[in-house]
Each structure stands twice: as C-alpha cells, then as structure tokens.
C-alpha cells in the first residue's frame, strides 16, 4: 500500500487534531483535584457588596499623619522605594488639590487647601476602565467591588495604565526586590514586567482586618460597605458633603473625599 | 545518488547533533533526589501530614498550587478543606513554606533534577534558610 | 518559489547581510531588555507606552493600505494595478509582522503572551486586535503566495482565493479601526478620546502606505528588470494626494474642536506637541517638521505637473512618509500621555537600546519585504515575456 503526499498530509493533520483533543480528554478523566476537598471563605473574613472609603482630609494635619498611613501600606505590601519618578511604584501617595482634582481648582480656594497634600490611591471604580481593557482578565472586579490584580496572569501590556484616568497603576520597569528595605515575609513581592496597585488590602479583609492604611489613620480614613445604609461610610457620606475624583468620566470611584483644612485655615 | 557523499556526511552530523544529549548522558544515571522532610517545623508537628497524602502531593502539587492560587487571588477563598476535613489557610508563603522551610533541599532539589523552573520565587519570598 | 530569494546579485546579498547585522544588534539589545526589564527604555510611570507601541500603530496603517490596490484591481477591474497588487500584499505581510513583533517587545512578561489566548477576553480591544492582525497576516500570505504561484505557472489563480481576496478588503479596514479603538475608547485621555480617530488613522494609512509603495516601486524598477508601470505609480500618487488631504483635514477638525471649545484638557496635548507646555517641549521641533513636510508634500502633490514627474513624486512621497511617521509613529502616543492624569508634564524620549530594538524590528520587516519582493520580482521577470493572462 502506498499513499501519496496529499493523503499523508491529511492523515498527519487528522492525527494531530485527534492527539490534541485526545490528550485533553485524558486530562479531564484524570482530574487532579483531591477527592472530597473543598474551599471556603474564612469565617472571620469581612464582606461587603461594595467596599468604599471616605477620606476625611481635615483629620490629616501633620506630615506624620500622611507618612504613617503610606508607610503602613507600602511596608506590608513590599512596595519598593526606587527613588526616581521614572521607575516609581506607589499604591498610596499624596499630591496637591490641583493635581488631585483637575478641573475643580479655582484661584481663590483657601490657602490651607491649596497647599494641603491629598491622599491618592486606586479608586476601585464601580465601572473600571482598566478591567474593561485588560486582555487576560489579570485585573478584574471582585463581587465585593474591589478592583483586583492577579500578578500571575499579567503580561505587562500596560493597557490598564493607559485606561486608568486616575494614574493609580504602577509598572515594574525593573526588578523591585533590591529596592525593598525590609521585606514582609507574609506577603509576596512583585516581579519585573507586571502592573500593580492598591487592592484595598484584600488579604487583610480575608482575615477579618480592615485595610492597613485605615487602621493607621486615626479615623481619617473610613472604610465600609457602600451598599449597606447602616455602615459607617454611609453615615459619614450622609452627614458630610463629599467629592470624588473626575466624576464626569463615569467610572464611579469608590473613594470619597471630605474637603477640609483641619483648622489650618490661617496657615 | 546525486551528491551522495555530502548527504550521508550531513545526515551523520545531524543525527550526532540530535542525539548528543542522550549520548552525552549515557551511563551516567543521575541519582533520584532525596527530599528532606525533617525541618524543625515539621519535627514539631504532632501528626506529620501534609495538606493531602504524600502520594497525591508528589504527583499533583503543581495542580493544587494552581488551584490554590486562583482560589485565593481570584475567588477570595482562603480556606482549604482537605479530603479528611481538615482546614488549611491557602498560602504558598505562609502555609506550604511554613513547614517546608527548606526550599533548597525540598523544592529546588526535585525541580533541578526534573529541570523545571517554576517562576513562583520571582515574587513569592522563600523562607530564610541557614546556609548548610 | 522561495528558492528565488537564495540567488541574487552581490548588491542583494550586501543588503541582506546589512539587515541581518541590524537585526543582530537589536536582538542583543532585546536580550538585555529581557533580562533587566522595560526600564531600559525611556518609558515611565506617566508615559507608559512609547516607541514600540507607536511604531505598531503606524505600521498597522502601512499594512492596511494594501486595500488601496486590492479595491481598484479586484472590485473595479483596474488592470493597471495588476503588476503592483502583489507588492502591496507583500508589503502588508511585512508590516503586520512588524506590528506583532512591536507588541511583543513591548510586553513586560513576554513569556506569558499566550495568556491572551488561554483567557480570551472579548471586552478587551487588544484581544480583537490580536485576532484581526493575525487574520490579516494569514490572508495576505495566502493570497499573495497563491496568486503569484499561479502567475508563475501561467494559470489563473484558483477559485477559492477570490472569497479570501474580498474578505481581505473589510479586514484591512478592520485592523486599523480596531487599532484606533485601542485609543479612542479610553476615558480620561482627551487627546485620544475622539470619534474621528479611526477615520484619521485610515486617512493617514492610505497616504503613508501608498507613498511607501511608490518609493518601493521606483526602487524595484531601478534594481530589477521588472517595471510596475508608470501609470500604476501615477495612480498611486493620486491616492496619496487625496488621502493626505483627508488626513490633514481630519487633523484640522481636531484642532478646531480643541481650541474653539477651549476645554483645557483638550487643548493641553496639542499645546504640548506644537508649542510646549509648562516649559516642556521636546517634541515641538519634530511636530513642526511633520507639519511643514505635510504642507510641502501637499503643494507638490496637488500640482499635476509636478506629480507627473517621478523624481518630484518620489520626493513628495518621502516627505509624506516622514511627516506621517512623526505624527503617528511618535506624537500620537506621547501626546496621549501628556499631560498625565494629574495635569503634570512628564516627557518621553527613547533610549539608545530602545531605538536599536526598534531598528531591529524594522530590519526584520525589511528583510521579510526584501525576500518576498525578490521572489515576486524574479517571478515577474521570468513571466514578463509571456502574453498577459488578463
């Protein structure tokens, strides 16, 4: 029996396809999940329908107030201090009113606000553009509203950085490890070539703890469930006039700001 | 055969190159690595048992870690209940490596032998080891 | 047919080895980038895309422009393009290959690139871009190779390519539309958030692509016995003229909207690019060169007497190409990131390794182009004495 080239190629193609699908069938049959094992959410875990944060800027008075909050976040999450703006990685930081709320500045706002630092972090938008553009679902929105990063899956295309209207995302332009002064052994670092940002301390919420920055803020940062009318954030929001960054873009940030100088009006 | 000599020489060189790794390692059987399970942390355990059976872990730890990763990071579920009903916190760094605090003699030995290079450690921190 | 690329004059081989040397240099730089990370480039937290992505954007246009030959030839039976259509298709193959490579070298974790297929995400425009680019590459390789192969044997192309050719027309439009959607759908980037982005992309593509093709036709005529035809070159020249006018018109619309509305966010990127913002203006000279070149080219192209002189046409095409390369292959991407989301200005300029990697990818494109053109030209030289099939 002899076959010509055309038949051989047909046969080869057919066997390849069968081989490929066949092996996946075998994989399915040998499904490796251990029998009777299951996964649960920790009983202590804090849960919400939509996590949100209110930043009461009047509670932040000294440089130390900002520093302790930033330090708390960056040290437990192994955020590197690279020391140059080009390669900078940051999860929570400060900037001026003008830069925090572009378009909402005016010449005659009180001096105490004009020169006051404002805390910035990921807004965990209800309608996040970064999630919309990610080609691998490496960034995604959890059921509790947290806009999460899965660094295992990130390919480093930085589409999310172009899409984020709030400059909340940092890219690891180089290996961050040499720039972490003291590593927290309980949390991973990142590797070069992936994007990172604030996660509302998802790892602490899972253990029943509030975000690290909230814990260190002396009441300046209020954290809770936006969909629960009895939550602390909702109480604060109904008692104070608050603003959000770039509301006109329609991303629905979950971070609210109470604007106040904290008694430094004469400064 | 037209240009037969050249073709045969070429074939011999090709076969030689392709089979080089096999020929080179012939008669030098690499010893099966022996994994060390006697870390101080494991010795302190009342019951020396991993999250699943030894056989299961040996064959499927990579799949288990894959699942753990997705459950913890993507689904926010951090408690693993094994086939015997025991609970474990899902964490490579804080659960696995807590007992297996000897990455070099545990993970690396076998991975080096099998020539696999998982990229876990470019982010996850390995426990601090005493140089032995 | 590929064997035709293995024999050639001394000049051909010098060119091939020159390209290989440039590729080699780029590859060495890429290995360095692979090891160190993308920090080796001039990109930063604020300007997070740079040269690589802007080259990709520009080259998608060059690739899409093949449709400007396919439509007249296959839909309107415009026989004059019979000889050049293959050159357009092979140019598309080389340009799309460069596009894919530029995306690849821009990735922070290139080893994970298959995640795009393993976790398909239809809401991401990048996912669709991957599909249309690879599809377009496939279409042009198959169409170009098959029609050339048929030509060589002196038979008409097989019937099954016809549907593929028709499919390649909307497909060409789609690659550049989808690429424009990468930018035009992002909230908070005022410079890119414009409905005419895709239209502008297509207009600039249909100017820059055929301009390059004219230059290539003239080179092919000079170095081989194959002549794409004077009339074909002239017809291409008209396409470049119309498309360039459309492009400048659409750019003018952007200027009007920004500066008549006086919305700061819309004006700032234009100010940064053309006059400088807050004392920063690294791109200003380049953008003015682009504008002046565009005007010079248009004056030359719109004048039929000048356009008919091939030397003047060639000059105009070079200026069109450079003008559009600066505009789209540099200014467009950087302008989107300046000012940053905090209304601050961070400037961008490529580093040496970044430029060498970019050159390396271009050289890969030109290598593919040279090989494919060598094949096409040799086949055409052999068959040129035969009576026409059409």
């Amino acid at each position: 029996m002899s076959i010509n080239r055309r038949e051989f190629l047909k046969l080869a193609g057919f066997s390849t396809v069968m081989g490929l699908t066949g092996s996946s069938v075998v994989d399915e049959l040998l499904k490796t999940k251990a029998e009777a094992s299951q996964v649960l959410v920790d009983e202590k875990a804090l849960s919400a329908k939509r996590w949100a944060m209110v930043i009461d800027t009047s509670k932040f008075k000294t440089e130390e107030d900002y520093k302790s909050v930033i330090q708390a976040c960056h040290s437990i999450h192994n955020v590197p201090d690279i020391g140059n703006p080009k390669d900078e990685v940051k999860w929570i930081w400060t900037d001026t009113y003008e830069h925090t709320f572009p378009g909402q500045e005016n010449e005659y706002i009180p001096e105490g606000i004009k020169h006051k630092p404002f805390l910035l972090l990921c807004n965990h938008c209800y309608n996040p553009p970064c999630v919309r553009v990610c080609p691998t679902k490496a960034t995604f929105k959890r059921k509790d509203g947290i806009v999460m990063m899965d660094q295992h899956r990130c390919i480093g295309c930085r589409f999310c950085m172009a899409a984020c209207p709030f400059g909340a995302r940092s890219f690891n332009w180089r290996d961050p490890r040499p720039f972490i002064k003291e590593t927290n052994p309980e949390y991973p670092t990142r590797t070069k070539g992936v994007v990172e940002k604030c996660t509302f301390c998802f790892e602490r919420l899972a253990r029943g703890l509030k975000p690290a920055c909230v814990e260190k803020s002396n009441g300046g940062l209020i954290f809770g469930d936006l969909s629960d009318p009895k939550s602390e954030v909702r109480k604060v929001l109904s008692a104070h006039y608050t603003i959000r960054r770039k509301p006109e873009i329609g991303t629905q940030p979950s971070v609210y700001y109470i604007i106040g100088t904290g008694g430094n009006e004469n400064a | 055969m037209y240009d037969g000599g050249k073709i045969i020489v070429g074939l011999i060189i090709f076969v030689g190159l392709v089979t080089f790794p096999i020929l080179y390692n012939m008669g030098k059987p690499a010893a099966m690595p022996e994994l060390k399970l006697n870390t101080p942390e494991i010795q302190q355990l009342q019951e020396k048992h991993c999250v699943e059976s030894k056989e299961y872990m040996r064959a499927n730890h990579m799949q288990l870690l894959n699942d753990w990763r997705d459950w913890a990071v993507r689904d926010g579920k951090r408690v693993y209940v094994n086939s015997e009903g025991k609970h474990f916190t899902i964490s490579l760094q804080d659960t696995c490596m807590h007992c297996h605090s000897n990455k070099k003699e545990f993970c690396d030995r076998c991975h080096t032998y099998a020539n696999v290079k998982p990229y876990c450690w470019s982010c996850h921190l390995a426990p601090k080891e005493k140089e032995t | 047919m590929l064997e035709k690329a293995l024999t050639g004059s001394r000049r051909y081989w010098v060119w091939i080895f020159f390209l290989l040397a440039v590729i080699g240099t780029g590859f060495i730089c890429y290995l360095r980038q692979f090891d160190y990370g993308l920090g080796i480039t001039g990109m930063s937290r604020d300007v997070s895309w740079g040269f690589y992505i802007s080259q990709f954007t520009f080259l998608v246009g060059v690739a899409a422009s093949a449709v400007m030959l396919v439509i007249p030839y296959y839909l309107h039976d415009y026989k004059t393009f019979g000889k050049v259509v293959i050159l357009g298709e092979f140019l598309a193959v080389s340009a799309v290959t460069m596009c894919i490579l530029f995306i690849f070298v821009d990735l922070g974790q290139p080893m994970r690139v298959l995640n795009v297929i393993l976790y398909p995400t239809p809401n991401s425009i990048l996912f669709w871009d991957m599909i249309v680019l690879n599809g377009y590459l496939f279409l042009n390789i198959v169409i170009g190779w098959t029609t050339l192969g048929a030509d060589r044997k002196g038979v008409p192309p097989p019937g099954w390519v016809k549907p593929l050719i028709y499919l390649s027309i909307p497909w060409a439009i789609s690659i550049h539309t989808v690429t424009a959607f990468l930018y035009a759908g992002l909230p908070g980037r005022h410079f890119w958030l414009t409905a005419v982005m895709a239209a502008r992309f297509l207009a600039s593509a249909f100017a820059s692509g055929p301009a390059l093709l004219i230059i290539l036709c003239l080179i092919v005529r000079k170095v081989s016995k194959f002549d794409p035809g004077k009339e074909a070159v002239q017809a291409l020249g008209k396409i470049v003229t119309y498309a360039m006018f459309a492009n400048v018109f659409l750019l003018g619309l952007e200027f009007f909207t920004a500066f008549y509305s006086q919305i700061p966010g819309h004006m700032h990127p234009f100010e940064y690019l053309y006059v400088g913002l807050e004392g920063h203006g690294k791109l200003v000279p380049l953008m003015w060169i682009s504008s002046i070149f565009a005007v010079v080219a248009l004056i030359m192209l719109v004048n039929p007497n000048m356009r008919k002189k091939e030397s003047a046409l060639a000059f105009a095409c070079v200026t069109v190409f450079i003008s559009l390369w600066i505009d789209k292959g540099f200014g467009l991407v950087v302008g989107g990131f300046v000012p940053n989301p905090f209304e601050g200005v961070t400037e961008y300029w490529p580093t040496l390794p970044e430029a060498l990697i970019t050159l390396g990818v271009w050289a890969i494109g030109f290598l593919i182009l040279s090989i494919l053109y060598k094949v096409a030209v040799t086949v055409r030289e052999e068959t040129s004495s035969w009576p026409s099939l059409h």
Side-chain angles (χ1 to χ4, degrees):
Chain A
M1 187 190 95
S2 73
I3 52 172
N4 63 23
R5 190 167 70 157
R6 178 180 290 259
E7 278 166 1
F8 171 75
L9 286 174
K10 271 186 193 162
L11 207 63
F14 180 72
S15 340
T16 311
V17 171
M18 285 317 287
L20 286 174
T21 50
S23 71
S24 65
V25 169
V26 172
D27 277 351
E28 202 57 36
L29 289 174
L30 298 175
K31 196 76 180 152
T32 49
K33 194 171 161 187
E35 264 171 61
S37 70
Q38 49 171 329
V39 231
L40 305 169
V41 175
D42 194 328
E43 286 160 12
K44 286 179 293 182
L46 301 178
S47 65
K49 283 216 179 84
R50 184 179 169 193
W51 288 116
M53 183 185 279
V54 179
I55 300 179
D56 185 348
T57 58
S58 66
K59 297 265 169 64
F60 289 87
K61 289 173 185 139
T62 62
E63 207 175 307
E64 197 49 43
D65 293 343
Y66 298 99
K67 235 186 186 169
S68 66
V69 163
I70 296 169
Q71 185 58 29
C73 168
H74 285 188
S75 63
I76 70 159
H77 295 123
N78 294 325
V79 177
D81 179 11
I82 297 179
N84 70 64
K86 182 179 167 300
D87 297 333
E88 190 179 29
V89 176
K90 52 192 179 187
W91 287 23
I92 178 166
W93 69 102
T94 61
D95 209 331
T96 61
Y97 179 85
E98 204 186 343
H99 290 164
T100 309
F101 303 102
Q104 294 178 59
E105 67 268 27
N106 85 55
E107 263 177 81
Y108 308 110
I109 55 172
E111 283 294 307
I113 286 176
K114 208 181 265 178
H115 302 297
K116 188 184 175 71
F118 286 81
L119 278 174
L120 293 140
L121 68 160
C122 171
N123 274 308
H124 295 276
C125 302
Y126 185 68
N127 181 16
C130 54
V131 170
R132 198 153 59 231
V133 301
C134 177
T136 61
K137 301 188 188 83
T139 192
F140 57 97
K141 205 176 91 175
R142 305 200 327 172
K143 282 196 198 92
D144 59 4
I146 292 180
V147 175
M148 191 48 202
M149 262 313 289
D150 182 353
Q151 267 99 9
H152 304 96
R153 195 179 282 189
C154 176
I155 59 171
C157 71
R158 309 189 298 293
F159 203 0
C160 56
M161 294 178 78
C164 176
F166 303 104
R169 293 175 163 268
S170 304
F171 182 71
N172 285 280
W173 298 101
R174 54 194 296 189
D175 181 14
R177 284 202 173 163
F179 303 95
I180 305 168
K181 268 183 219 109
E182 253 178 80
T183 43
N184 169 14
E186 289 178 9
Y187 198 84
T189 67
R190 265 69 59 197
T191 183
K192 66 178 181 238
V194 296
V195 173
E196 63 181 272
K197 66 170 196 74
C198 155
T199 63
F200 264 175
C201 284
F202 83 110
E203 83 287 1
R204 288 171 58 90
L205 295 173
R207 284 183 285 146
L209 299 167
K210 284 199 170 176
C213 56
V214 175
E215 210 169 65
K216 281 281 160 65
S217 68
N218 291 319
L221 302 176
I222 302 113
F223 187 77
D225 188 353
L226 198 61
S227 63
D228 174 10
K230 288 192 276 301
S231 70
E232 211 187 336
V233 274
R234 283 288 291 274
K235 280 180 201 151
V236 175
L237 286 174
S238 55
H240 295 83
Y241 175 71
T242 50
I243 59 171
R244 290 185 288 176
R245 295 172 66 200
K246 303 190 182 174
E248 73 279 7
I249 285 172
T251 65
Q252 298 289 349
S254 301
V255 176
Y256 295 76
Y257 293 81
I258 302 172
I259 306 296
T261 54
N264 277 358
E265 268 94 337
N266 308 328
Chain B
M1 192 157 55
Y2 185 67
D3 263 350
K6 280 183 197 164
I7 292 172
I8 288 165
V9 171
L11 275 176
I12 290 170
I13 293 174
F14 174 76
V15 170
L17 280 176
V18 167
T19 54
F20 176 74
I22 300 165
L23 297 174
Y24 182 76
N25 285 314
M26 221 185 308
K28 297 189 265 185
M32 266 271 282
E34 205 181 308
L35 303 186
K36 278 203 175 164
L37 294 165
N38 56 347
T39 64
E41 289 81 1
I42 292 178
Q43 276 168 355
Q44 274 173 23
L45 290 176
Q46 300 265 308
E47 196 189 341
K48 294 176 180 43
H49 193 285
C50 198
V51 296
E52 294 289 350
S53 73
K54 195 170 161 187
E55 292 69 34
Y56 178 86
M57 291 309 285
R58 184 184 291 159
N60 301 315
H61 67 280
M62 54 300 259
Q63 182 60 42
L64 180 106
L65 286 172
N66 240 358
D67 289 339
W68 273 30
R69 171 180 77 189
D70 285 352
W71 288 329
V73 178
R74 305 191 69 86
D75 305 342
K77 292 180 179 161
R78 291 197 160 247
V79 178
Y80 180 75
V81 185
N82 75 2
S83 28
E84 288 162 22
K86 281 200 179 127
H87 289 219
F88 296 90
T89 302
I90 294 184
S91 170
L92 172 67
Q93 244 169 271
D94 305 336
T95 304
C96 306
M97 304 312 286
H98 175 74
C99 289
H100 298 290
S101 57
N102 54 341
K103 173 177 167 277
K104 278 181 199 142
E105 288 166 324
F106 186 70
C107 311
D108 293 354
R109 268 200 186 163
C110 204
H111 289 160
T112 310
Y113 174 72
N115 195 24
V116 289
K117 300 181 183 74
Y119 59 72
C120 312
W121 313 106
S122 54
C123 291
H124 288 281
L125 295 158
K128 286 212 172 69
E129 281 180 72
K130 286 159 236 106
E131 289 301 320
T132 45
Chain C
M1 286 191 291
L2 208 53
E3 73 280 0
K4 308 225 179 291
L6 294 175
T7 51
S9 64
R10 201 184 135 78
R11 205 168 40 173
Y12 171 71
W13 284 110
V14 168
W15 171 241
I16 295 293
F17 278 101
F18 166 73
L19 289 177
L20 286 173
V22 178
I23 294 168
T25 317
F27 186 71
I28 290 166
C29 291
Y30 181 72
L31 289 180
R32 175 106 181 80
Q33 178 186 297
F34 188 82
D35 180 53
Y36 179 91
L38 280 161
I40 204 172
T41 69
M43 293 183 272
S44 61
R45 194 181 189 277
D46 283 334
V47 185
S48 47
W49 281 340
F51 236 33
Y52 300 148
I53 291 295
S54 47
Q55 299 312 296
F56 148 76
T57 310
F58 177 74
L59 286 164
V60 173
V62 172
S65 71
V67 80
M68 284 288 101
L69 299 170
V70 172
I71 289 177
Y73 182 63
Y74 287 107
L75 286 191
H76 300 282
D77 204 22
Y78 183 64
K79 295 251 163 43
T80 318
F81 277 167
K83 286 178 175 173
V84 281
V85 90
I86 187 74
L87 299 184
E89 282 157 355
F90 281 168
L91 175 60
V93 170
S94 127
V96 180
T97 310
M98 283 191 266
C99 292
I100 294 168
L101 285 172
F102 272 119
I103 297 232
F104 185 79
V105 298
D106 188 64
L107 293 180
Q109 285 287 339
M111 305 302 278
R112 301 184 192 165
V113 65
L114 286 180
N115 279 2
V116 180
I117 296 161
L118 291 173
Y119 308 103
T121 314
N123 49 278
S124 173
I125 300 291
L126 207 54
F127 169 76
W128 293 106
D129 220 23
M130 174 204 70
I131 290 177
V132 291
L133 284 177
N134 284 298
Y136 194 65
L137 179 63
F138 170 78
L139 279 177
N140 276 288
I141 291 177
V142 170
I143 295 168
W145 205 253
T146 317
T147 50
L148 189 69
D151 246 18
R152 183 191 178 201
K153 297 195 196 88
V155 294
W160 56 264
V161 255
K162 261 284 154 71
L164 291 186
I165 290 169
Y166 293 140
L167 179 66
S168 80
I169 294 170
W171 205 289
I173 310 290
S174 84
I175 62 167
H176 221 19
T177 308
V178 172
T179 304
F181 285 176
L182 287 178
Y183 299 98
L186 304 181
R189 302 277 177 196
H190 300 294
F191 189 58
W192 297 336
L193 190 76
T194 162
V196 297
M197 182 66 92
R200 223 183 113 193
F201 270 23
L202 286 166
S204 75
F206 297 156
S208 59
L212 179 59
L213 206 55
I214 290 177
I215 300 164
L216 291 172
C217 282
L218 297 178
I219 293 173
V220 163
R221 183 198 286 162
K222 210 165 205 157
V223 298
S224 78
K225 279 180 249 128
F226 170 60
D227 182 6
K230 225 176 159 62
E231 207 189 318
V233 168
Q234 283 301 317
L236 279 172
K238 280 179 208 152
I239 291 172
V240 175
T241 312
Y242 278 110
M244 190 61 181
F245 266 108
N247 175 59
V248 171
F249 173 69
L250 289 166
L251 181 63
L253 299 184
E254 298 279 16
F255 269 97
F256 172 80
T257 304
F259 289 98
Y260 195 80
S261 71
Q262 299 267 315
I263 297 173
H266 289 269
M267 295 192 294
H268 285 158
F270 287 99
E271 283 170 0
Y272 169 70
L273 289 176
Y274 289 92
V275 292
L277 193 66
E278 294 172 18
H280 300 282
K282 261 188 194 163
L283 260 59
V284 172
L286 273 178
M287 294 313 285
W288 280 103
I289 291 175
S290 168
S291 308
I292 293 165
F293 275 27
V295 173
V296 169
L298 281 178
I299 292 172
M300 292 180 72
L301 286 171
V302 79
N303 181 341
N305 294 326
M306 266 192 155
R307 199 174 60 227
K308 275 176 195 147
K309 260 192 259 151
E310 268 182 359
S311 54
L313 180 64
F315 181 81
C317 284
V318 171
T319 50
V320 163
F321 192 78
I322 295 173
S323 166
L324 292 175
W325 180 82
I326 294 171
D327 183 41
K328 204 162 147 196
F330 203 166
L332 177 100
V333 168
V334 179
F337 288 109
V338 182
N340 67 16
F342 315 101
E343 293 289 316
V345 178
T346 304
E347 294 211 89
Y348 163 83
W349 197 259
T351 59
L352 182 66
E354 190 179 5
L356 290 175
I357 292 171
T358 305
L359 270 179
V361 176
W362 273 94
I364 293 176
F366 274 105
L367 182 69
I368 293 169
L369 188 75
S370 306
I371 289 169
L372 291 176
Y373 272 27
K374 179 71 175 45
V375 172
V377 163
T378 314
V379 168
R380 284 293 147 82
E381 280 173 342
E382 284 169 6
T383 57
S384 59
S385 48
W386 301 1
S388 170
L389 292 163
H390 302 287

